[in-house]
């Protein structure tokens, strides 16, 4: 815990010395002296409790002071606690008096503000009121402007700038968001006004706004080119024509979180002054232009791309949004590489990782070829130290690189389950043991062959090998792998192998599950379905996945696989209580064209990435807003209807994406390695389930078939071929979902009420769909808000809410994990790559966790992502009165509970925060 939230909403550094100093004053006031050792002990205890109660949030000052009181009582210093309580009350009275004086000062007209030109002007309350009135237009019956004005005025001071007043207005409205989701829109309107003034300057209200935005767009594109923030080709567009396409009203499609995310991290800024150069529509057009620079009719295509982006029907991945139109347009999301068993290549891989991370790429490294601990090095004859020391270096390389200066480097290491170092690999993320053999900043994933799972199910043995003695295992899968592996086992039994170790498959699986529960790693991914169902089985092998486990592409020494991502916003394609197939078709067609353009425009930091991308032209079209679509349609996430919708929606997107790629092939030609691919052989993703079942020799538990007539698509591929080797992959979409105002990817809602963190502080957000339904029933009020807070964002135990509403608004941990897998399996049959599938389990039972992952395997899933488990219940209820949170418990009882260290809190086994803006990987 590094930050705390001040009373005015600002977030500042946490300083335990201030806690120690406050307690010291209380000790001196009561006893005349203090004990520095005692103060250190008490301060450390306070800090420990804060860490437990706020594992991922910034506590408020008042909450910290509550903990100080409780700690003093728990330690038996009741007289000191009483003095501390009285001190807090006196300080509160002083603050209230200062507030009254400040308000009187404002009312008297004596407060001066500094205008943008540097001149002084007397503050006028009527202007502030008018400012808020404009923002709350349409919500007058819900929002009380007086509350906003009075709260905002508390933050005013002599000499405050008008720009700071605009920021203060945003912060004021933001702090009201928990009362009603409409405050999110009001905050967004205020934020937009401040942004317009920064980008455009001067007055921006009224009918002149659209004209000013268009003029500024042209000016700033030229300025960006002149200052080398944008590529010279951007000035070659007919800028007045594109300026005329801008629809300024679409700025209102963006919520406050989306606007602030864009402003903080995506909009171009002047390097010298830091001034923002883009409004939202200028940003979408800049991205559209950046993706249309090579089009013959580039203005027409830019307008087409702008249409789907600005309407939030489709959003490109973060690297594309960062770099489109810039001099170094690194637009791709994911890079997958294989590290060879060669010292020169190992260190080349570190260099490649650094270059790829520098330009925002998320990395997946396959380490299976590197020989195990104890294997002899041919040239020197000395034993190898195995993969772990090399992975430590890879971890530190990840830490050293800040992707595009906007997010941390991120890497995932993959290892096959037969590697002799697998057990050390499982321990890489543990918090105990030799730190020289730990990689706390790098993700890890198991690459598991089907044969291992079969051995687990039959309680059989499993043999571990060093790869230099079994070099072909890495490149085989399915029945061919089983034959080769059992032959190596026979040779080991006969004494023909130098390096091997036999273990119980069940024991190794148990260790995998245990580490997954403890650390969130290594993730469980499956080698055989990823390869057997791959369209590119004729030109290589899939050796691992990427940072988010949705990419399954071939890698080798010569090729670093690349994937280019973007996501369809499902909820934006609903009409008349169903998916609008025509609109979806139009969006997918445009999205696939944009993704294909990325491949040719892209800046490639290393040549192996360029080689792979131009040869295979893989793209990954995904989805987001699945939960929003279910809410809108009235389907419960854990219902059969939701599984059916997952199936039908993905079939529709797959149908249109493959068709779009075939039509692009007719226009532009097929990708280089198309001959011999499954596409050319007439084998589509849904057809590969039978292949997987045959290779595995066991049933794959997926219902076959769909609703659409695929004949036109098959005919198009037969006649024209494919432009892209792969078309579909579902990424996590953490940040672009924030921008789009929907829930990420295929995820359920994590909580109906949660604390949102961003660069300006924290605020509480309530599920807007839930609030709408509760309002319709006359159940939404302050009391209901407090009750939802007291239940950690769950509504399952709130009896006043009707049962059907409670069923609709189950949160992630209240839904059976089987439902996630069934929906993913239904969706997965249409996908030629994979999907980032998080699993949520409210259990600490290893047996139950194991059963969930075995179900995922039986269902034919290629990969899974994070396991999120709930260890303890009762997360800190921020802003809930302590008397409400503890009910009839006396303060003495609270002290006893703290002393016994039984204050419960919630922990996620994964270290990846659900809603951390720095944590998104691909998107």
């Amino acid at each position: 815990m590094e930050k705390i939230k001040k009373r005015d909403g600002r977030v500042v550094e946490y300083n335990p010395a201030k806690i120690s100093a406050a307690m010291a004053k209380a000790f001196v006031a009561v006893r005349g002296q203090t004990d520095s050792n005692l103060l250190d002990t008490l301060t450390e205890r306070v800090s420990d409790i804060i860490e437990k109660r706020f594992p991922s949030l910034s506590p408020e000052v008042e909450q910290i002071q509550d903990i100080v009181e409780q700690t003093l009582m728990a330690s038996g210093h009741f007289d000191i606690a009483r003095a501390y309580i009285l001190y807090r009350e006196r300080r509160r009275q002083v603050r209230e008096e200062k507030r009254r004086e400040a308000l009187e000062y404002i009312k008297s007209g004596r407060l001066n503000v500094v205008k943008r030109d540097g001149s002084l002007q007397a503050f006028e309350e009527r202007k502030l009121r008018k400012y808020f009135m404009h923002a709350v237009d349409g919500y007058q019956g819900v929002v009380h402007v007086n509350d906003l004005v009075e709260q905002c005025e508390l933050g005013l001071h002599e000499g405050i700038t008008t720009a700071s007043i605009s920021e203060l207005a945003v912060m004021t409205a933001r702090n009201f968001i928990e009362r009603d989701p409409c405050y999110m829109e009001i905050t967004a309107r205020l934020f937009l006004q401040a942004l317009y003034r920064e980008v455009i300057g001067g007055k921006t209200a009224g009918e002149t706004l659209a004209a000013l935005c268009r003029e500024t767009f042209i000016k700033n594109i030229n300025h960006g080119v002149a200052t080398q923030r944008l590529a010279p080709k951007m000035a070659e567009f007919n800028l007045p024509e594109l300026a005329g396409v801008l629809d300024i009203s679409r700025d209102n499609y963006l919520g406050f979180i989306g606007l602030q995310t864009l402003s903080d991290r995506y909009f171009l800024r002047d390097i010298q002054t830091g001034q923002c150069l883009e409004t939202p529509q200028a940003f979408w057009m800049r991205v559209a232009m950046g993706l249309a620079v090579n089009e013959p009719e580039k203005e027409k295509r830019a307008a087409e791309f702008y249409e789907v982006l600005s309407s939030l029907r489709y959003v490109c991945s973060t690297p594309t949004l960062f770099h489109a139109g810039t001099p170094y347009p690194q637009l791709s999301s994911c890079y997958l590489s294989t590290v060879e068993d060669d010292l020169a290549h190992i260190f080349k891989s570190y260099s490649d990782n650094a270059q790829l991370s520098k330009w925002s790429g998320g990395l997946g490294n396959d380490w299976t070829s590197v020989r195990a601990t104890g294997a002899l090095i041919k040239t020197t004859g000395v034993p190898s130290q195995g993969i772990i020391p090399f992975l430590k270096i890879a971890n530190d390389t990840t830490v050293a690189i800040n992707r595009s200066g906007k997010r941390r480097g991120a890497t995932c290491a993959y290892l096959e389950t037969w590697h002799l170092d697998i057990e050390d690999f499982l321990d890489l993320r543990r918090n105990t043991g030799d730190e020289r053999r730990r990689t706390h900043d790098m993700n890890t994933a198991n690459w598991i062959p089907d044969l291992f799972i079969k051995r687990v199910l039959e309680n059989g043995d499993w043999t571990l090998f060093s790869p230099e003695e079994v070099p072909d295992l890495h490149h085989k899968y399915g029945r061919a792998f089983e034959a080769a592996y059992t032959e190596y086992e026979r040779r080991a039994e006969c004494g023909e192998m130098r390096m091997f170790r036999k273990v119980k498959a069940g024991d190794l699986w148990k260790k995998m599950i245990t580490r997954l529960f403890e650390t969130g790693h290594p993730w469980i991914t499956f080698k055989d379905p990823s390869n057997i169902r791959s369209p590119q089985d004729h030109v290589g092998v899939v050796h691992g996945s990427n940072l988010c486990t949705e990419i399954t592409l071939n890698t080798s020494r010569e090729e670093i696989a690349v994937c280019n991502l973007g996501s369809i916003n499902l909820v934006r394609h609903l009409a008349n209580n169903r998916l609008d197939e025509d609109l979806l078709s139009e969006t997918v067609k445009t999205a696939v064209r944009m993704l294909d353009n990325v491949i040719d425009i892209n800046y490639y930091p290393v040549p192996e990435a360029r080689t792979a991308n131009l040869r295979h032209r893989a793209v990954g079209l995904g989805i987001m807003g699945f939960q929003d679509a279910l809410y809108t349609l009235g389907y419960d996430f854990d219902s059969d209807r939701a599984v059916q919708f997952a199936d039908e929606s993905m079939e529709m997107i797959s149908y249109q994406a493959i068709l779009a790629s075939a039509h692009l092939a007719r226009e532009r030609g097929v990708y280089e390695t198309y001959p011999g691919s499954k596409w050319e052989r007439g084998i589509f993703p849904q057809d590969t389930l039978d292949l997987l079942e045959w290779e595995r020799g066991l049933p794959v538990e997926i219902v076959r078939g769909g609703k659409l007539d695929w004949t036109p698509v098959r005919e198009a591929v037969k006649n024209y071929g494919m432009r892209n080797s792969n078309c579909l992959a579902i990424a996590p979409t953490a940040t672009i979902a924030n921008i789009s105002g929907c829930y990420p990817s295929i995820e359920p809602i994590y909580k109906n009420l949660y604390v949102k963190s961003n660069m300006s502080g924290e605020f509480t957000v309530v599920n807007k769909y839930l609030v709408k339904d509760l309002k319709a029933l006359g159940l939404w009020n302050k009391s209901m808000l407090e009750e939802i807070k007291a239940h950690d964002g769950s509504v399952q135990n709130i009896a006043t809410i009707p049962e059907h509403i409670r069923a609709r608004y189950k949160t992630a941990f209240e839904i059976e994990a089987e439902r996630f897998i069934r929906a993913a399996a239904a969706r997965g049959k249409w996908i030629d790559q994979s999907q980032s599938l998080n699993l949520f389990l409210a259990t600490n039972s290893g047996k139950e966790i194991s059963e969930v992952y075995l179900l995922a395997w039986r269902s034919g899933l290629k990969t899974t992502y994070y396991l999120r488990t709930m260890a303890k219940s009762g997360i800190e209820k921020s802003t809930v009165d302590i008397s409400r949170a503890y009910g009839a418990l006396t303060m003495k009882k609270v002290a006893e509970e703290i002393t016994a260290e039984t204050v419960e809190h919630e922990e996620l086994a994964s270290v990846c925060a659900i809603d951390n803006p720095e944590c998104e990987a691909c998107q």
Side-chain angles (χ1 to χ4, degrees):
M1 199 275 296
E2 300 177 348
K3 306 281 187 179
I4 65 169
K5 188 176 181 181
K6 302 279 282 184
R7 291 180 179 87
D8 61 5
R10 289 180 297 116
V11 174
V12 299
E13 297 292 330
Y14 170 60
N15 185 1
K18 291 188 176 181
I19 294 173
S20 182
M23 287 192 291
K25 289 180 181 178
F27 272 96
V28 171
V30 175
R31 300 180 185 175
Q33 60 181 7
T34 186
D35 182 333
S36 60
N37 291 330
L38 175 61
L39 282 177
D40 290 344
T41 300
L42 291 172
T43 302
E44 185 175 346
R45 192 171 300 174
V46 168
S47 295
D48 288 344
I49 294 170
I50 292 171
E51 290 282 357
K52 289 180 179 179
R53 290 200 190 181
F54 303 92
S56 60
L57 306 177
S58 300
E60 297 177 1
V61 169
E62 295 289 347
Q63 292 170 323
I64 292 177
Q65 291 180 344
D66 287 342
I67 292 171
V68 173
E69 286 181 15
Q70 296 157 19
T71 302
L72 288 169
M73 288 189 288
S75 304
H77 302 291
F78 295 102
D79 55 339
I80 307 301
R82 181 176 181 274
Y84 186 78
I85 291 169
L86 293 173
Y87 167 77
R88 286 183 67 185
E89 176 59 22
R90 286 194 299 272
R91 294 292 299 168
R92 186 193 66 78
Q93 292 174 357
V94 169
R95 285 195 302 273
E96 287 299 319
E97 180 61 30
K98 286 185 176 180
R99 285 174 181 170
R100 283 194 294 271
E101 290 176 359
L103 289 176
E104 289 175 5
Y105 192 66
I106 291 169
K107 300 293 184 185
S108 68
R110 290 177 289 164
L111 181 74
N112 292 310
V113 300
V114 180
K115 298 182 68 177
R116 292 179 184 271
D117 62 6
S119 62
L120 284 178
Q121 184 182 65
F123 170 76
E124 297 181 58
E125 186 184 89
R126 67 174 181 83
K127 289 186 177 181
L128 181 62
R129 185 175 300 277
K130 183 179 178 182
Y131 194 60
F132 278 117
M133 286 289 290
H134 177 73
V136 304
D137 185 42
Y139 294 107
Q140 286 86 346
V142 179
V143 175
H144 301 290
V145 174
N146 283 344
D147 292 346
L148 291 168
V149 172
E150 289 174 8
Q151 189 65 34
C152 186
E153 286 181 339
L154 294 176
L156 299 178
H157 57 81
E158 178 65 21
I160 189 172
T161 65
T162 53
S164 295
I165 294 176
S166 296
E167 293 175 9
L168 182 60
V170 171
M171 292 179 67
T172 300
R174 187 195 66 190
N175 290 334
F176 282 79
I177 285 173
E178 69 175 36
R179 294 189 183 183
D180 193 291
C182 73
Y183 280 99
M184 188 72 83
E185 184 174 343
I186 291 165
T187 308
R189 291 174 179 178
L190 292 166
F191 190 92
L192 266 175
Q193 287 302 312
L195 179 66
Y196 290 149
R197 289 183 178 181
E198 179 183 0
V199 177
I200 300 171
K203 293 184 178 180
T204 57
E207 298 177 357
T208 61
L209 176 60
L212 289 170
C213 285
R214 293 186 177 102
E215 290 174 13
T216 305
F217 163 73
I218 297 171
K219 181 186 74 173
N220 283 347
I221 290 290
N222 288 320
H223 174 73
V225 172
T227 57
Q228 299 183 336
R229 295 289 284 128
L230 293 174
K233 283 188 175 182
M234 296 291 280
E236 296 174 7
F237 283 84
N238 185 330
L239 296 179
E241 179 182 335
L242 292 180
V245 174
L246 299 181
D247 185 347
I248 309 306
S249 68
R250 290 187 178 180
D251 286 355
N252 297 317
Y253 290 4
L254 296 162
F256 168 61
I257 294 173
L259 283 167
Q260 186 160 62
T261 301
L262 288 172
S263 177
D264 288 344
R265 304 174 60 213
Y266 290 82
F267 290 161
L268 289 180
R269 292 183 176 272
D270 187 281
I271 293 177
Q272 300 299 323
T273 65
Q275 180 186 354
C276 185
L277 300 177
E278 293 181 320
T279 62
Q281 298 313 302
F283 163 74
W284 293 127
M285 184 57 83
R286 185 259 297 173
V287 174
M289 292 164 62
L291 293 174
V293 289
N294 293 341
E295 291 276 4
E297 299 177 281
K298 55 180 179 288
E299 284 80 15
K300 176 184 174 182
R301 291 300 181 185
E304 176 189 334
F305 298 165
Y306 166 81
E307 173 63 26
V308 298
L309 291 169
S310 63
S311 60
L312 304 180
R313 286 157 41 198
Y314 165 83
V315 179
C316 311
S317 66
T318 283
T320 306
L321 300 180
F322 278 170
H323 300 136
T326 67
Y328 294 94
Q330 197 302 107
L331 312 176
S332 297
S333 305
C334 308
Y335 293 88
L336 288 67
S337 67
T338 287
V339 182
E340 298 291 340
D341 187 33
D342 173 270
L343 193 62
H345 194 263
I346 290 171
F347 277 83
K348 180 185 184 304
S349 297
Y350 297 144
S351 175
D352 291 345
N353 280 2
Q355 288 296 328
L356 295 166
S357 286
K358 173 183 177 181
W359 298 103
S360 285
L363 308 176
N365 298 149
D366 155 42
W367 286 86
T368 301
S369 292
V370 177
R371 68 190 60 202
T373 305
L376 294 179
I377 299 172
K378 185 177 180 180
T379 53
T380 62
V382 300
S384 166
Q385 296 187 63
I387 65 168
I388 305 301
F390 292 119
L391 289 172
K392 179 66 174 175
I393 299 173
N395 177 86
D396 295 342
T397 302
T398 295
V399 175
I401 306 299
N402 186 328
R403 293 186 282 169
S404 296
K406 299 178 182 181
R407 55 182 182 169
R408 292 176 297 173
T411 307
C412 183
Y414 284 78
L415 194 70
E416 286 201 45
T417 315
W418 51 260
H419 196 288
L420 201 55
D421 285 343
I422 186 67
E423 291 182 280
D424 288 333
F425 182 78
L426 298 180
D427 288 341
L428 282 171
R429 293 296 296 254
R430 299 195 78 189
N431 290 321
T432 58
D434 187 349
E435 279 299 304
R436 292 170 298 179
R437 299 180 69 80
R438 297 291 178 264
T439 59
H440 299 298
D441 306 287
M442 186 173 70
N443 301 300
T444 56
N446 288 301
W447 193 237
I448 303 172
D450 280 355
L451 181 61
F452 173 73
I453 300 294
K454 292 180 184 178
R455 296 280 179 89
V456 171
L457 294 174
E458 64 193 31
N459 196 29
D461 293 330
W462 184 249
T463 308
L464 306 177
F465 297 104
S466 185
E468 83 283 357
E469 290 194 87
V470 292
D472 57 330
L473 284 187
H474 190 36
H475 307 288
K476 293 182 183 295
Y477 52 86
R479 296 191 176 206
F481 174 88
E482 292 191 16
Y485 184 85
T486 52
E487 170 60 19
Y488 283 124
E489 285 188 310
R490 186 198 64 77
R491 291 174 59 184
E493 290 291 334
C494 295
E496 298 176 18
M497 307 288 288
R498 179 180 179 273
M499 298 284 295
F500 70 92
R501 185 169 77 253
K502 186 177 289 187
V503 297
K504 276 292 185 183
D507 291 343
L508 183 56
W509 176 251
K510 180 180 178 182
K511 188 171 184 179
M512 287 179 177
I513 295 299
T514 301
R515 294 295 177 266
L516 192 62
F517 175 76
E518 289 176 348
T519 71
H521 292 86
W523 302 324
I524 302 295
T525 60
F526 302 111
K527 174 183 181 179
D528 289 87
S530 296
N531 276 284
I532 293 165
R533 299 192 62 205
S534 169
Q536 292 293 95
D537 57 344
H538 64 307
V539 288
V541 177
V542 182
H543 291 305
S545 188
N546 66 317
L547 180 61
C548 305
T549 75
E550 82 276 20
I551 304 305
T552 50
L553 300 174
N554 301 341
T555 55
S556 65
R557 179 190 285 265
E558 294 77 25
E559 293 186 359
I560 292 177
V562 185
C563 203
N564 318 287
L565 299 174
S567 295
I568 299 289
N569 187 351
L570 278 180
V571 74
R572 289 276 175 177
H573 292 82
L574 295 180
N576 301 318
N577 216 39
R578 56 183 289 276
L579 274 175
D580 185 330
E581 192 168 354
D582 291 336
L583 182 63
L584 189 62
S585 172
E586 181 184 315
T587 302
V588 171
K589 180 180 177 182
T590 301
V592 170
R593 189 180 193 95
M594 294 167 74
L595 288 169
D596 189 62
N597 285 357
V598 163
I599 296 165
D600 297 309
I601 297 167
N602 202 49
Y603 167 75
Y604 294 96
V606 296
E608 293 85 353
R610 180 183 179 84
T611 297
N613 218 16
L614 292 178
R615 285 191 75 207
H616 312 299
R617 306 190 69 87
V619 301
L621 182 64
I623 60 173
M624 57 184 171
F626 181 73
Q627 175 72 91
D628 301 77
L630 294 183
Y631 284 148
T632 304
L633 294 169
Y635 303 154
D636 298 350
F637 199 101
D638 60 352
S639 67
D640 291 339
R641 193 65 191 88
V643 174
Q644 184 181 348
F645 179 71
D647 191 338
E648 293 172 357
S649 59
M650 202 66 232
E651 180 183 12
M652 199 178 294
I653 292 170
S654 178
Y655 184 105
Q656 298 296 344
I658 296 169
L659 185 61
S661 186
H663 286 158
L664 270 181
R666 177 174 59 175
E667 177 187 339
R668 297 175 169 178
V670 298
Y671 68 92
E672 182 181 328
T673 55
Y674 172 76
S677 67
K678 279 191 172 74
W679 300 115
E680 191 194 43
R681 284 141 51 197
I683 303 172
F684 281 36
Q686 61 268 38
D687 305 327
T688 60
L689 295 173
D690 291 338
L691 291 176
L692 175 60
E693 193 166 89
W694 182 83
E695 291 277 2
R696 184 175 283 180
L698 293 170
V700 176
E701 299 175 7
I702 304 177
V703 176
R704 310 297 203 270
K707 285 197 167 186
L708 301 178
D709 176 10
W710 280 75
T711 304
V713 185
R714 293 182 186 275
E715 287 296 317
V717 173
K718 181 180 178 180
N719 292 332
Y720 313 129
M722 290 285 286
R723 179 64 174 169
N724 312 99
S725 66
N726 298 74
C727 297
L728 301 149
I730 299 179
T733 75
T735 305
I736 64 169
N738 272 343
I739 292 169
S740 304
C742 64
Y743 291 108
S745 192
I746 52 177
E747 299 285 287
I749 190 170
Y750 178 58
K751 289 194 175 188
N752 287 301
L753 179 148
Y754 64 97
V755 175
K756 174 69 185 174
S757 302
N758 58 32
M759 294 175 72
S760 300
E762 296 175 345
F763 53 97
T764 305
V765 180
V766 190
N767 182 347
K768 63 181 180 182
Y769 299 99
L770 172 63
V771 172
K772 181 181 178 181
D773 282 351
L774 291 178
K775 280 184 174 181
L777 295 169
L779 294 175
W780 180 249
N781 51 42
K782 187 176 181 181
S783 176
M784 178 60 73
L785 172 64
E786 292 300 318
E787 200 157 1
I788 295 173
K789 281 186 183 180
H791 286 88
D792 294 334
S794 171
V795 298
Q796 298 309 303
N797 295 315
I798 303 178
T800 53
I801 297 178
E803 186 175 350
H804 74 282
I805 298 294
R806 280 181 276 153
R808 178 74 34 79
Y809 293 101
K810 285 182 180 178
T811 56
F813 286 108
E814 294 163 344
I815 299 169
E816 292 294 326
E818 178 186 355
R819 288 293 179 178
F820 298 107
I821 293 170
R822 294 299 183 199
R827 195 184 291 115
K829 67 184 172 185
W830 307 110
I831 300 174
D832 54 25
Q833 294 196 66
S834 190
Q835 50 195 311
S836 292
L837 176 66
N838 290 316
L839 295 174
F840 300 82
L841 284 85
T843 181
N844 59 2
S845 166
K847 183 175 183 294
E848 291 180 35
I849 296 171
S850 173
E851 288 173 351
V852 166
Y853 280 96
L854 291 175
L855 175 61
W857 178 77
R858 292 198 305 272
S859 300
L861 296 190
K862 299 174 184 175
T863 61
T864 63
Y865 197 23
Y866 279 100
L867 169 67
R868 305 186 189 279
T869 59
M870 185 176 287
K872 295 183 178 181
S873 61
I875 192 170
E876 173 69 23
K877 287 87 170 172
S878 61
T879 76
V880 178
D881 292 339
I882 191 165
S883 59
R884 185 180 185 86
Y886 288 101
L889 289 176
T890 63
M891 290 305 294
K892 183 178 180 182
K893 178 66 175 174
V894 173
E896 289 172 355
E897 287 200 356
I898 293 172
T899 303
E901 295 183 341
T902 59
V903 177
E904 294 185 333
H905 64 284
E906 178 186 79
E907 294 176 351
L908 294 177
S910 107
V911 297
C912 180
I914 290 284
D915 203 16
N916 179 352
E918 292 187 354
C919 194
E920 100 290 352
C922 293
Q923 301 200 70

